[in-house]
Amino acid sequence: KDLEDFAYKQLNDYQKDYFKKPHALNVDDFIEFYLGIKIQFYVLSIDGSILGKTALSNGKICIINEKNEIDLRMIEKGSIIIDSKACKLEVRIRFTAVHEAFHSQYDLDLDQNLIDKNEVIQDTHITIGKAINVKKTMTALDWVEHHADKYAVFILMPKKFVITLFNYYHKKYFSKNKRLSIHKPKRTWLLI
């Protein structure tokens, strides 16, 4: 809840009346001009296994150059590097950029010993449609990634927008007699 509130506060600070009408976020503008974080695009792996990175300190990172050889680039602490080759779709680039923006804001001063210990941390996790007191156990690194994913969701798909759009399209595609159902998947995809 705190993370969701923080994400929405950032969106309100970024743009007055942000939540007035559902719209897509200009991710580049939000990250570079509001958050003040530099985004760079390099190929980070030959197999596309690395979608993005956040520089945790000033220094050099390995990239793959045009000749498919390993090369080094100087990167400033807090910079975001996106692999545009691995993130082939614009939606993947957007999600990865916002995910990495979370790391750039919150993970630069993390205690590396906590991450390296690989011990599990248990938290009460609320899951819609399931028990309220589900215990979720993950390592510290897993929690860091989980929070970065959640932040990206809150920034890119604010609950208010999702509810507004769901209600609009539900009225548009479904009459009182028609409802969402696994037996009518085309209706569901119209709504989605």
Side-chain angles (χ1 to χ4, degrees):
K1 181 69 177 132
D2 291 341
L3 185 57
E4 183 177 26
D5 290 345
F6 179 75
Y8 294 169
K9 183 183 180 319
Q10 282 190 322
L11 291 172
N12 267 329
D13 289 347
Y14 164 66
Q15 185 179 3
K16 192 106 173 122
D17 298 327
Y18 185 84
F19 291 102
K20 194 172 187 175
K21 180 181 173 189
H23 63 283
L25 174 68
N26 181 335
V27 170
D28 294 338
D29 187 71
F30 176 75
I31 292 172
E32 291 192 36
F33 298 110
Y34 172 72
L35 296 177
I37 301 169
K38 188 175 181 182
I39 301 175
Q40 299 176 49
F41 291 89
Y42 293 114
V43 177
L44 298 171
S45 61
I46 292 174
D47 63 358
S49 61
I50 302 171
L51 301 174
K53 284 186 177 184
T54 299
L56 299 179
S57 62
N58 291 332
K60 296 178 182 178
I61 65 158
C62 292
I63 64 149
I64 309 300
N65 65 22
E66 309 80 38
K67 299 175 187 174
N68 267 357
E69 300 170 336
I70 295 176
D71 207 347
L72 296 175
R73 290 288 187 272
M74 287 300 296
I75 301 292
E76 292 178 23
K77 180 178 181 177
S79 296
I80 294 172
I81 304 97
I82 303 293
D83 188 328
S84 57
K85 189 174 178 183
C87 298
K88 294 176 182 159
L89 301 173
E90 180 66 24
V91 292
R92 181 76 251 185
I93 291 171
R94 290 167 51 83
F95 186 88
T96 302
V98 177
H99 171 102
E100 295 301 329
F102 176 84
H103 291 310
S104 186
Q105 292 177 83
Y106 294 101
D107 298 345
L108 300 183
D109 300 314
L110 277 180
D111 181 356
Q112 196 60 41
N113 292 326
L114 177 67
I115 301 297
D116 293 340
K117 281 184 183 177
N118 216 21
E119 292 176 359
V120 295
I121 301 169
Q122 195 173 67
D123 189 21
T124 301
H125 182 73
I126 298 172
T127 306
I128 296 172
K130 295 186 180 176
I132 290 178
N133 291 323
V134 173
K135 297 286 187 194
K136 192 160 192 164
T137 304
M138 296 190 289
T139 65
L141 182 59
D142 291 337
W143 279 113
V144 167
E145 293 302 319
H146 174 77
H147 290 133
D149 285 346
K150 286 292 190 184
Y151 174 80
V153 169
F154 295 143
I155 291 290
L156 294 171
M157 294 180 62
K159 192 184 303 181
K160 185 175 181 178
F161 287 2
V162 172
I163 290 169
T164 299
L165 291 170
F166 177 90
N167 290 335
Y168 172 79
Y169 285 103
H170 191 270
K171 286 177 188 171
K172 183 175 179 176
Y173 292 119
F174 297 89
S175 68
K176 289 181 182 179
N177 300 344
K178 296 179 182 175
R179 57 190 173 94
L180 292 175
S181 151
I182 60 170
H183 305 294
K184 300 284 186 180
K186 287 183 183 177
R187 273 193 221 147
T188 305
W189 281 109
L190 281 172
L191 182 61
I192 292 170

